[in-house]
């Protein structure tokens, strides 16, 4: 241990500790060295996301939500149009409804993501 290193106690789930011990042994490192290497790696790879990037992502999500709404509306119009032809309606209606449900799930996921990003924007320092 280098003279400027500090000791730090940590609690680990026994299963996680066993996994780390196995990896450390396979890599020829001590458990401490393996944990320190992993922490250093995660920190060096970490990058703060700037507020402008969150705003850009939110804008993109907004466009995806609008496009999804447009597709749902088009499918609703098709359902109305094919209602006059019973045979065509019986064939296409289940497919269109399934697609609309899928699009609605996508829209809900996009909306949830936009709420998450809005909270990031509100909690990000300029």
């Amino acid at each position: 241990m280098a003279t400027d290193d500090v000791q730090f106690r940590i609690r680990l789930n026994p299963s996680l500790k066993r996994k780390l011990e196995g990896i450390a042994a396979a890599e020829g490192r001590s458990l401490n060295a393996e944990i320190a290497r992993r922490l250093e790696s995660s920190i060096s790879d970490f990058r703060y996301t700037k507020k402008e990037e969150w705003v850009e992502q939110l804008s993109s999500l907004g466009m995806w939500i609008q496009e999804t709404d447009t597709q749902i509306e088009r499918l609703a119009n098709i359902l109305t149009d094919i209602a006059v032809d019973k045979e065509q309606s019986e064939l296409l209606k289940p497919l269109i409804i399934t697609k609309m449900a899928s699009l609605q799930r996508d829209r809900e996921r996009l909306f949830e993501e936009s709420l998450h990003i809005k909270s990031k924007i509100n909690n990000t320092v300029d």
Side-chain angles (χ1 to χ4, degrees), residues 70-120:
T70 300
Q71 290 179 24
I72 291 170
E73 186 178 331
R74 284 181 189 149
L75 290 171
N77 290 337
I78 292 170
L79 274 178
T80 302
D81 292 346
I82 65 170
V84 294
D85 184 340
K86 185 175 167 91
E87 187 177 315
Q88 189 178 25
S89 180
E90 287 178 3
L91 280 171
L92 295 177
K93 187 175 179 179
L95 298 172
I96 293 171
I97 290 173
T98 300
K99 181 62 178 175
M100 288 174 75
S102 173
L103 287 168
Q104 187 60 39
R105 285 189 301 274
D106 290 347
R107 188 195 189 288
E108 290 168 7
R109 183 186 53 77
L110 291 168
F111 181 75
E112 288 297 319
E113 182 65 17
S114 73
L115 291 178
H116 174 73
I117 290 175
K118 283 178 185 177
S119 75
K120 292 283 191 181

Side-chain angles (χ1 to χ4, degrees), residues 14-31 34-35 38:
S15 172
L16 176 60
K17 184 180 182 219
R18 284 191 299 276
K19 289 176 186 175
L20 286 167
E21 287 171 334
I23 293 167
E27 295 293 324
R29 294 187 189 93
S30 68
L31 177 59
E34 182 62 27
I35 291 171
R38 287 174 174 269

Side-chain angles (χ1 to χ4, degrees), residues 31-95:
L31 177 59
N32 183 76
E34 182 62 27
I35 291 171
R37 183 192 68 78
R38 287 174 174 269
L39 285 172
E40 286 173 8
S41 174
S42 69
I43 290 170
S44 68
D45 292 344
F46 181 78
R47 180 179 77 75
Y48 288 100
T49 303
K50 295 179 182 171
K51 193 171 192 172
E52 299 82 38
E53 293 175 274
W54 288 121
V55 170
E56 186 177 318
Q57 287 183 16
L58 184 60
S59 175
S60 294
L61 280 172
M63 290 187 299
W64 278 104
I65 290 170
Q66 286 177 343
E67 177 58 31
T68 303
D69 287 344
T70 300
Q71 290 179 24
I72 291 170
E73 186 178 331
R74 284 181 189 149
L75 290 171
N77 290 337
I78 292 170
L79 274 178
T80 302
D81 292 346
I82 65 170
V84 294
D85 184 340
K86 185 175 167 91
E87 187 177 315
Q88 189 178 25
S89 180
E90 287 178 3
L91 280 171
L92 295 177
K93 187 175 179 179
L95 298 172

